[in-house]
PDB file of all heavy atoms in Angstrom:
ATOM      1  N   GLY A   1       0.804  -1.225   0.008  1.00 97.00           N
ATOM      2  CA  GLY A   1       0.006  -0.002  -0.002  1.00 97.00           C
ATOM      3  C   GLY A   1       0.816   1.269   0.002  1.00 97.00           C
ATOM      4  O   GLY A   1       0.300   2.353  -0.133  1.00 97.00           O
ATOM      5  N   SER A   2       2.171   1.131   0.176  1.00 98.00           N
ATOM      6  CA  SER A   2       3.033   2.287   0.180  1.00 98.00           C
ATOM      7  C   SER A   2       3.147   2.927  -1.194  1.00 98.00           C
ATOM      8  O   SER A   2       2.921   2.260  -2.230  1.00 98.00           O
ATOM      9  CB  SER A   2       4.441   1.915   0.664  1.00 98.00           C
ATOM     10  OG  SER A   2       4.437   1.574   2.023  1.00 98.00           O
ATOM     11  N   CYS A   3       3.500   4.195  -1.217  1.00 98.00           N
ATOM     12  CA  CYS A   3       3.672   4.910  -2.497  1.00 98.00           C
ATOM     13  C   CYS A   3       4.856   5.875  -2.366  1.00 98.00           C
ATOM     14  O   CYS A   3       4.683   7.094  -2.554  1.00 98.00           O
ATOM     15  CB  CYS A   3       2.400   5.629  -2.898  1.00 98.00           C
ATOM     16  SG  CYS A   3       1.725   6.740  -1.635  1.00 98.00           S
ATOM     17  N   PHE A   4       6.008   5.357  -2.013  1.00 98.00           N
ATOM     18  CA  PHE A   4       7.210   6.171  -1.916  1.00 98.00           C
ATOM     19  C   PHE A   4       7.729   6.417  -3.331  1.00 98.00           C
ATOM     20  O   PHE A   4       8.705   5.807  -3.762  1.00 98.00           O
ATOM     21  CB  PHE A   4       8.252   5.506  -1.044  1.00 98.00           C
ATOM     22  CG  PHE A   4       7.945   5.573   0.423  1.00 98.00           C
ATOM     23  CD1 PHE A   4       7.371   4.493   1.085  1.00 98.00           C
ATOM     24  CD2 PHE A   4       8.212   6.734   1.152  1.00 98.00           C
ATOM     25  CE1 PHE A   4       7.079   4.563   2.454  1.00 98.00           C
ATOM     26  CE2 PHE A   4       7.940   6.817   2.498  1.00 98.00           C
ATOM     27  CZ  PHE A   4       7.372   5.722   3.154  1.00 98.00           C
ATOM     28  N   ALA A   5       7.078   7.320  -4.038  1.00 98.00           N
ATOM     29  CA  ALA A   5       7.401   7.605  -5.419  1.00 98.00           C
ATOM     30  C   ALA A   5       7.570   9.119  -5.594  1.00 98.00           C
ATOM     31  O   ALA A   5       6.949   9.908  -4.876  1.00 98.00           O
ATOM     32  CB  ALA A   5       6.313   7.097  -6.354  1.00 98.00           C
ATOM     33  N   GLY A   6       8.403   9.545  -6.530  1.00 98.00           N
ATOM     34  CA  GLY A   6       8.562  10.949  -6.811  1.00 98.00           C
ATOM     35  C   GLY A   6       9.004  11.730  -5.590  1.00 98.00           C
ATOM     36  O   GLY A   6      10.004  11.390  -4.947  1.00 98.00           O
ATOM     37  N   THR A   7       8.277  12.802  -5.257  1.00 98.00           N
ATOM     38  CA  THR A   7       8.632  13.574  -4.082  1.00 98.00           C
ATOM     39  C   THR A   7       8.542  12.756  -2.787  1.00 98.00           C
ATOM     40  O   THR A   7       9.281  13.004  -1.844  1.00 98.00           O
ATOM     41  CB  THR A   7       7.706  14.823  -3.961  1.00 98.00           C
ATOM     42  OG1 THR A   7       6.340  14.441  -4.211  1.00 98.00           O
ATOM     43  CG2 THR A   7       8.105  15.882  -4.979  1.00 98.00           C
ATOM     44  N   PHE A   8       7.676  11.742  -2.761  1.00 98.00           N
ATOM     45  CA  PHE A   8       7.578  10.888  -1.584  1.00 98.00           C
ATOM     46  C   PHE A   8       8.795   9.960  -1.463  1.00 98.00           C
ATOM     47  O   PHE A   8       9.089   9.493  -0.357  1.00 98.00           O
ATOM     48  CB  PHE A   8       6.289  10.062  -1.637  1.00 98.00           C
ATOM     49  CG  PHE A   8       5.074  10.789  -1.122  1.00 98.00           C
ATOM     50  CD1 PHE A   8       5.066  12.158  -0.940  1.00 98.00           C
ATOM     51  CD2 PHE A   8       3.895  10.085  -0.829  1.00 98.00           C
ATOM     52  CE1 PHE A   8       3.945  12.827  -0.468  1.00 98.00           C
ATOM     53  CE2 PHE A   8       2.776  10.747  -0.367  1.00 98.00           C
ATOM     54  CZ  PHE A   8       2.791  12.110  -0.187  1.00 98.00           C
ATOM     55  N   PHE A   9       9.480   9.681  -2.556  1.00 98.00           N
ATOM     56  CA  PHE A   9      10.720   8.944  -2.465  1.00 98.00           C
ATOM     57  C   PHE A   9      11.744   9.672  -1.596  1.00 98.00           C
ATOM     58  O   PHE A   9      12.504   9.067  -0.839  1.00 98.00           O
ATOM     59  CB  PHE A   9      11.334   8.700  -3.871  1.00 98.00           C
ATOM     60  CG  PHE A   9      12.725   8.176  -3.852  1.00 98.00           C
ATOM     61  CD1 PHE A   9      12.978   6.832  -3.533  1.00 98.00           C
ATOM     62  CD2 PHE A   9      13.807   9.008  -4.100  1.00 98.00           C
ATOM     63  CE1 PHE A   9      14.271   6.333  -3.491  1.00 98.00           C
ATOM     64  CE2 PHE A   9      15.110   8.508  -4.064  1.00 98.00           C
ATOM     65  CZ  PHE A   9      15.346   7.178  -3.765  1.00 98.00           C
ATOM     66  N   GLU A  10      11.704  11.025  -1.643  1.00 98.00           N
ATOM     67  CA  GLU A  10      12.619  11.831  -0.826  1.00 98.00           C
ATOM     68  C   GLU A  10      12.364  11.604   0.650  1.00 98.00           C
ATOM     69  O   GLU A  10      13.267  11.685   1.477  1.00 98.00           O
ATOM     70  CB  GLU A  10      12.469  13.295  -1.183  1.00 98.00           C
ATOM     71  CG  GLU A  10      12.912  13.651  -2.591  1.00 98.00           C
ATOM     72  CD  GLU A  10      14.420  13.543  -2.754  1.00 98.00           C
ATOM     73  OE1 GLU A  10      15.154  14.184  -1.999  1.00 98.00           O
ATOM     74  OE2 GLU A  10      14.855  12.769  -3.649  1.00 98.00           O
ATOM     75  N   ILE A  11      11.110  11.357   1.032  1.00 98.00           N
ATOM     76  CA  ILE A  11      10.780  11.064   2.432  1.00 98.00           C
ATOM     77  C   ILE A  11      11.485   9.799   2.881  1.00 98.00           C
ATOM     78  O   ILE A  11      12.028   9.711   3.983  1.00 98.00           O
ATOM     79  CB  ILE A  11       9.280  10.950   2.626  1.00 98.00           C
ATOM     80  CG1 ILE A  11       8.563  12.282   2.328  1.00 98.00           C
ATOM     81  CG2 ILE A  11       8.928  10.448   4.026  1.00 98.00           C
ATOM     82  CD1 ILE A  11       7.065  12.240   2.372  1.00 98.00           C
ATOM     83  N   ALA A  12      11.498   8.800   2.001  1.00 98.00           N
ATOM     84  CA  ALA A  12      12.113   7.514   2.365  1.00 98.00           C
ATOM     85  C   ALA A  12      13.617   7.672   2.581  1.00 98.00           C
ATOM     86  O   ALA A  12      14.168   7.104   3.554  1.00 98.00           O
ATOM     87  CB  ALA A  12      11.845   6.481   1.263  1.00 98.00           C
ATOM     88  N   ILE A  13      14.296   8.388   1.692  1.00 97.00           N
ATOM     89  CA  ILE A  13      15.764   8.468   1.858  1.00 97.00           C
ATOM     90  C   ILE A  13      16.176   9.566   2.828  1.00 97.00           C
ATOM     91  O   ILE A  13      17.344   9.686   3.154  1.00 97.00           O
ATOM     92  CB  ILE A  13      16.470   8.613   0.518  1.00 97.00           C
ATOM     93  CG1 ILE A  13      15.988   9.849  -0.271  1.00 97.00           C
ATOM     94  CG2 ILE A  13      16.355   7.366  -0.330  1.00 97.00           C
ATOM     95  CD1 ILE A  13      16.866  10.121  -1.478  1.00 97.00           C
ATOM     96  N   ALA A  14      15.191  10.370   3.301  1.00 98.00           N
ATOM     97  CA  ALA A  14      15.490  11.303   4.385  1.00 98.00           C
ATOM     98  C   ALA A  14      15.536  10.586   5.734  1.00 98.00           C
ATOM     99  O   ALA A  14      16.082  11.095   6.710  1.00 98.00           O
ATOM    100  CB  ALA A  14      14.436  12.402   4.428  1.00 98.00           C
ATOM    101  N   ALA A  15      14.970   9.364   5.782  1.00 98.00           N
ATOM    102  CA  ALA A  15      14.894   8.620   7.031  1.00 98.00           C
ATOM    103  C   ALA A  15      16.276   8.101   7.453  1.00 98.00           C
ATOM    104  O   ALA A  15      17.164   7.895   6.643  1.00 98.00           O
ATOM    105  CB  ALA A  15      13.913   7.442   6.884  1.00 98.00           C
ATOM    106  N   ASP A  16      16.413   7.881   8.774  1.00 97.00           N
ATOM    107  CA  ASP A  16      17.652   7.307   9.275  1.00 97.00           C
ATOM    108  C   ASP A  16      17.788   5.831   8.887  1.00 97.00           C
ATOM    109  O   ASP A  16      18.897   5.350   8.645  1.00 97.00           O
ATOM    110  CB  ASP A  16      17.685   7.421  10.800  1.00 97.00           C
ATOM    111  CG  ASP A  16      17.636   8.858  11.261  1.00 97.00           C
ATOM    112  OD1 ASP A  16      18.598   9.598  11.005  1.00 97.00           O
ATOM    113  OD2 ASP A  16      16.606   9.245  11.858  1.00 97.00           O
ATOM    114  N   ARG A  17      16.669   5.124   8.837  1.00 97.00           N
ATOM    115  CA  ARG A  17      16.655   3.748   8.373  1.00 97.00           C
ATOM    116  C   ARG A  17      15.377   3.549   7.541  1.00 97.00           C
ATOM    117  O   ARG A  17      14.369   4.197   7.754  1.00 97.00           O
ATOM    118  CB  ARG A  17      16.595   2.748   9.521  1.00 97.00           C
ATOM    119  CG  ARG A  17      17.781   2.758  10.453  1.00 97.00           C
ATOM    120  CD  ARG A  17      17.634   1.605  11.444  1.00 97.00           C
ATOM    121  NE  ARG A  17      18.609   1.721  12.524  1.00 97.00           N
ATOM    122  CZ  ARG A  17      18.660   0.886  13.575  1.00 97.00           C
ATOM    123  NH1 ARG A  17      17.768  -0.125  13.649  1.00 97.00           N
ATOM    124  NH2 ARG A  17      19.563   1.026  14.527  1.00 97.00           N
ATOM    125  N   SER A  18      15.465   2.604   6.622  1.00 98.00           N
ATOM    126  CA  SER A  18      14.276   2.274   5.826  1.00 98.00           C
ATOM    127  C   SER A  18      14.128   0.766   5.746  1.00 98.00           C
ATOM    128  O   SER A  18      15.127   0.033   5.588  1.00 98.00           O
ATOM    129  CB  SER A  18      14.356   2.872   4.425  1.00 98.00           C
ATOM    130  OG  SER A  18      15.596   2.531   3.812  1.00 98.00           O
ATOM    131  N   PHE A  19      12.905   0.309   5.891  1.00 98.00           N
ATOM    132  CA  PHE A  19      12.577  -1.112   5.846  1.00 98.00           C
ATOM    133  C   PHE A  19      11.612  -1.353   4.697  1.00 98.00           C
ATOM    134  O   PHE A  19      10.550  -0.729   4.647  1.00 98.00           O
ATOM    135  CB  PHE A  19      11.915  -1.562   7.160  1.00 98.00           C
ATOM    136  CG  PHE A  19      12.778  -1.340   8.368  1.00 98.00           C
ATOM    137  CD1 PHE A  19      12.822  -0.084   8.977  1.00 98.00           C
ATOM    138  CD2 PHE A  19      13.506  -2.366   8.907  1.00 98.00           C
ATOM    139  CE1 PHE A  19      13.609   0.136  10.101  1.00 98.00           C
ATOM    140  CE2 PHE A  19      14.309  -2.151  10.041  1.00 98.00           C
ATOM    141  CZ  PHE A  19      14.364  -0.897  10.629  1.00 98.00           C
ATOM    142  N   MET A  20      11.998  -2.235   3.753  1.00 98.00           N
ATOM    143  CA  MET A  20      11.160  -2.479   2.595  1.00 98.00           C
ATOM    144  C   MET A  20      10.788  -3.964   2.524  1.00 98.00           C
ATOM    145  O   MET A  20      11.674  -4.841   2.523  1.00 98.00           O
ATOM    146  CB  MET A  20      11.875  -2.067   1.324  1.00 98.00           C
ATOM    147  CG  MET A  20      11.044  -2.158   0.059  1.00 98.00           C
ATOM    148  SD  MET A  20      11.884  -1.400  -1.349  1.00 98.00           S
ATOM    149  CE  MET A  20      10.590  -1.530  -2.608  1.00 98.00           C
ATOM    150  N   LEU A  21       9.516  -4.226   2.486  1.00 98.00           N
ATOM    151  CA  LEU A  21       9.014  -5.594   2.454  1.00 98.00           C
ATOM    152  C   LEU A  21       9.419  -6.279   1.143  1.00 98.00           C
ATOM    153  O   LEU A  21       9.157  -5.769   0.068  1.00 98.00           O
ATOM    154  CB  LEU A  21       7.492  -5.612   2.596  1.00 98.00           C
ATOM    155  CG  LEU A  21       6.797  -6.966   2.507  1.00 98.00           C
ATOM    156  CD1 LEU A  21       7.282  -7.911   3.627  1.00 98.00           C
ATOM    157  CD2 LEU A  21       5.292  -6.799   2.551  1.00 98.00           C
ATOM    158  N   ASN A  22      10.054  -7.445   1.290  1.00 97.00           N
ATOM    159  CA  ASN A  22      10.512  -8.235   0.133  1.00 97.00           C
ATOM    160  C   ASN A  22       9.637  -9.480   0.023  1.00 97.00           C
ATOM    161  O   ASN A  22       9.930 -10.532   0.580  1.00 97.00           O
ATOM    162  CB  ASN A  22      11.985  -8.623   0.297  1.00 97.00           C
ATOM    163  CG  ASN A  22      12.526  -9.337  -0.937  1.00 97.00           C
ATOM    164  OD1 ASN A  22      11.824  -9.500  -1.931  1.00 97.00           O
ATOM    165  ND2 ASN A  22      13.762  -9.804  -0.863  1.00 97.00           N
ATOM    166  N   GLU A  23       8.536  -9.323  -0.661  1.00 93.00           N
ATOM    167  CA  GLU A  23       7.572 -10.419  -0.822  1.00 93.00           C
ATOM    168  C   GLU A  23       7.114 -10.438  -2.286  1.00 93.00           C
ATOM    169  O   GLU A  23       6.405  -9.543  -2.728  1.00 93.00           O
ATOM    170  CB  GLU A  23       6.377 -10.222   0.117  1.00 93.00           C
ATOM    171  CG  GLU A  23       5.275 -11.239  -0.049  1.00 93.00           C
ATOM    172  CD  GLU A  23       5.757 -12.663   0.125  1.00 93.00           C
ATOM    173  OE1 GLU A  23       6.553 -12.928   1.080  1.00 93.00           O
ATOM    174  OE2 GLU A  23       5.367 -13.529  -0.684  1.00 93.00           O
ATOM    175  N   PRO A  24       7.549 -11.436  -3.061  1.00 89.00           N
ATOM    176  CA  PRO A  24       7.260 -11.470  -4.497  1.00 89.00           C
ATOM    177  C   PRO A  24       5.778 -11.335  -4.848  1.00 89.00           C
ATOM    178  O   PRO A  24       5.425 -10.785  -5.890  1.00 89.00           O
ATOM    179  CB  PRO A  24       7.807 -12.822  -4.939  1.00 89.00           C
ATOM    180  CG  PRO A  24       8.864 -13.156  -3.932  1.00 89.00           C
ATOM    181  CD  PRO A  24       8.367 -12.602  -2.638  1.00 89.00           C
ATOM    182  N   ASP A  25       4.908 -11.836  -3.990  1.00 89.00           N
ATOM    183  CA  ASP A  25       3.469 -11.813  -4.317  1.00 89.00           C
ATOM    184  C   ASP A  25       2.799 -10.513  -3.897  1.00 89.00           C
ATOM    185  O   ASP A  25       1.613 -10.332  -4.135  1.00 89.00           O
ATOM    186  CB  ASP A  25       2.771 -12.987  -3.608  1.00 89.00           C
ATOM    187  CG  ASP A  25       3.255 -14.338  -4.149  1.00 89.00           C
ATOM    188  OD1 ASP A  25       3.676 -14.384  -5.322  1.00 89.00           O
ATOM    189  OD2 ASP A  25       3.240 -15.308  -3.374  1.00 89.00           O
ATOM    190  N   VAL A  26       3.547  -9.609  -3.255  1.00 91.00           N
ATOM    191  CA  VAL A  26       2.994  -8.347  -2.789  1.00 91.00           C
ATOM    192  C   VAL A  26       3.646  -7.180  -3.550  1.00 91.00           C
ATOM    193  O   VAL A  26       4.868  -7.074  -3.551  1.00 91.00           O
ATOM    194  CB  VAL A  26       3.171  -8.150  -1.282  1.00 91.00           C
ATOM    195  CG1 VAL A  26       2.624  -6.806  -0.815  1.00 91.00           C
ATOM    196  CG2 VAL A  26       2.514  -9.276  -0.514  1.00 91.00           C
ATOM    197  N   PRO A  27       2.874  -6.349  -4.252  1.00 93.00           N
ATOM    198  CA  PRO A  27       3.459  -5.263  -5.022  1.00 93.00           C
ATOM    199  C   PRO A  27       3.950  -4.114  -4.140  1.00 93.00           C
ATOM    200  O   PRO A  27       3.177  -3.234  -3.761  1.00 93.00           O
ATOM    201  CB  PRO A  27       2.315  -4.811  -5.939  1.00 93.00           C
ATOM    202  CG  PRO A  27       1.066  -5.166  -5.183  1.00 93.00           C
ATOM    203  CD  PRO A  27       1.396  -6.381  -4.358  1.00 93.00           C
ATOM    204  N   VAL A  28       5.241  -4.128  -3.833  1.00 96.00           N
ATOM    205  CA  VAL A  28       5.859  -3.066  -3.049  1.00 96.00           C
ATOM    206  C   VAL A  28       7.021  -2.484  -3.831  1.00 96.00           C
ATOM    207  O   VAL A  28       7.934  -3.215  -4.205  1.00 96.00           O
ATOM    208  CB  VAL A  28       6.350  -3.586  -1.672  1.00 96.00           C
ATOM    209  CG1 VAL A  28       6.978  -2.473  -0.881  1.00 96.00           C
ATOM    210  CG2 VAL A  28       5.217  -4.230  -0.898  1.00 96.00           C
ATOM    211  N   HIS A  29       6.971  -1.172  -4.095  1.00 97.00           N
ATOM    212  CA  HIS A  29       7.982  -0.582  -4.959  1.00 97.00           C
ATOM    213  C   HIS A  29       8.381   0.807  -4.479  1.00 97.00           C
ATOM    214  O   HIS A  29       7.621   1.489  -3.776  1.00 97.00           O
ATOM    215  CB  HIS A  29       7.459  -0.460  -6.410  1.00 97.00           C
ATOM    216  CG  HIS A  29       7.175  -1.747  -7.068  1.00 97.00           C
ATOM    217  ND1 HIS A  29       5.880  -2.279  -7.085  1.00 97.00           N
ATOM    218  CD2 HIS A  29       7.963  -2.614  -7.716  1.00 97.00           C
ATOM    219  CE1 HIS A  29       5.918  -3.446  -7.733  1.00 97.00           C
ATOM    220  NE2 HIS A  29       7.155  -3.660  -8.124  1.00 97.00           N
ATOM    221  N   LEU A  30       9.586   1.207  -4.863  1.00 98.00           N
ATOM    222  CA  LEU A  30      10.034   2.601  -4.825  1.00 98.00           C
ATOM    223  C   LEU A  30      10.047   3.118  -6.249  1.00 98.00           C
ATOM    224  O   LEU A  30      10.131   2.344  -7.190  1.00 98.00           O
ATOM    225  CB  LEU A  30      11.445   2.707  -4.255  1.00 98.00           C
ATOM    226  CG  LEU A  30      11.669   2.366  -2.775  1.00 98.00           C
ATOM    227  CD1 LEU A  30      13.167   2.385  -2.482  1.00 98.00           C
ATOM    228  CD2 LEU A  30      10.940   3.355  -1.886  1.00 98.00           C
ATOM    229  N   ARG A  31       9.971   4.438  -6.384  1.00 98.00           N
ATOM    230  CA  ARG A  31      10.055   5.004  -7.722  1.00 98.00           C
ATOM    231  C   ARG A  31      10.708   6.382  -7.659  1.00 98.00           C
ATOM    232  O   ARG A  31      10.162   7.277  -6.996  1.00 98.00           O
ATOM    233  CB  ARG A  31       8.678   5.097  -8.376  1.00 98.00           C
ATOM    234  CG  ARG A  31       8.744   5.480  -9.845  1.00 98.00           C
ATOM    235  CD  ARG A  31       7.399   5.293 -10.496  1.00 98.00           C
ATOM    236  NE  ARG A  31       7.352   5.813 -11.856  1.00 98.00           N
ATOM    237  CZ  ARG A  31       6.250   5.824 -12.613  1.00 98.00           C
ATOM    238  NH1 ARG A  31       5.116   5.306 -12.147  1.00 98.00           N
ATOM    239  NH2 ARG A  31       6.268   6.325 -13.836  1.00 98.00           N
ATOM    240  N   ILE A  32      11.846   6.536  -8.284  1.00 98.00           N
ATOM    241  CA  ILE A  32      12.588   7.789  -8.245  1.00 98.00           C
ATOM    242  C   ILE A  32      12.101   8.693  -9.366  1.00 98.00           C
ATOM    243  O   ILE A  32      11.940   8.285 -10.508  1.00 98.00           O
ATOM    244  CB  ILE A  32      14.104   7.517  -8.419  1.00 98.00           C
ATOM    245  CG1 ILE A  32      14.594   6.563  -7.330  1.00 98.00           C
ATOM    246  CG2 ILE A  32      14.894   8.843  -8.351  1.00 98.00           C
ATOM    247  CD1 ILE A  32      16.019   6.127  -7.495  1.00 98.00           C
ATOM    248  N   GLY A  33      11.865   9.977  -9.025  1.00 96.00           N
ATOM    249  CA  GLY A  33      11.397  10.957 -10.011  1.00 96.00           C
ATOM    250  C   GLY A  33      12.510  11.943 -10.370  1.00 96.00           C
ATOM    251  O   GLY A  33      13.563  11.986  -9.732  1.00 96.00           O
ATOM    252  N   PRO A  34      12.294  12.749 -11.371  1.00 96.00           N
ATOM    253  CA  PRO A  34      13.310  13.710 -11.843  1.00 96.00           C
ATOM    254  C   PRO A  34      13.687  14.752 -10.813  1.00 96.00           C
ATOM    255  O   PRO A  34      14.791  15.311 -10.865  1.00 96.00           O
ATOM    256  CB  PRO A  34      12.675  14.317 -13.086  1.00 96.00           C
ATOM    257  CG  PRO A  34      11.209  14.091 -12.955  1.00 96.00           C
ATOM    258  CD  PRO A  34      11.076  12.790 -12.234  1.00 96.00           C
ATOM    259  N   LEU A  35      12.775  15.072  -9.884  1.00 98.00           N
ATOM    260  CA  LEU A  35      13.079  16.091  -8.899  1.00 98.00           C
ATOM    261  C   LEU A  35      14.175  15.664  -7.939  1.00 98.00           C
ATOM    262  O   LEU A  35      14.821  16.509  -7.279  1.00 98.00           O
ATOM    263  CB  LEU A  35      11.829  16.447  -8.111  1.00 98.00           C
ATOM    264  CG  LEU A  35      10.717  17.150  -8.911  1.00 98.00           C
ATOM    265  CD1 LEU A  35       9.415  17.203  -8.124  1.00 98.00           C
ATOM    266  CD2 LEU A  35      11.139  18.565  -9.300  1.00 98.00           C
TER     267      LEU A  35
END
């Protein structure tokens, strides 16, 4: 359900730590934008 994409991707890498669920059957993604 996460949407760390574009400007929201910056929120993820602003964090001290990040945890990303690695489950092939669950659509979890990051997406880097031009900004």
Side-chain angles (χ1 to χ4, degrees):
S2 291
C3 54
F4 285 99
T7 45
F8 277 15
F9 169 75
E10 294 291 303
I11 295 175
I13 57 170
D16 299 294
R17 297 185 192 177
S18 52
F19 300 82
M20 187 170 184
L21 177 62
N22 185 4
E23 176 56 44
D25 296 332
V26 178
V28 180
H29 297 95
L30 293 174
R31 189 168 172 184
I32 303 174
L35 293 169

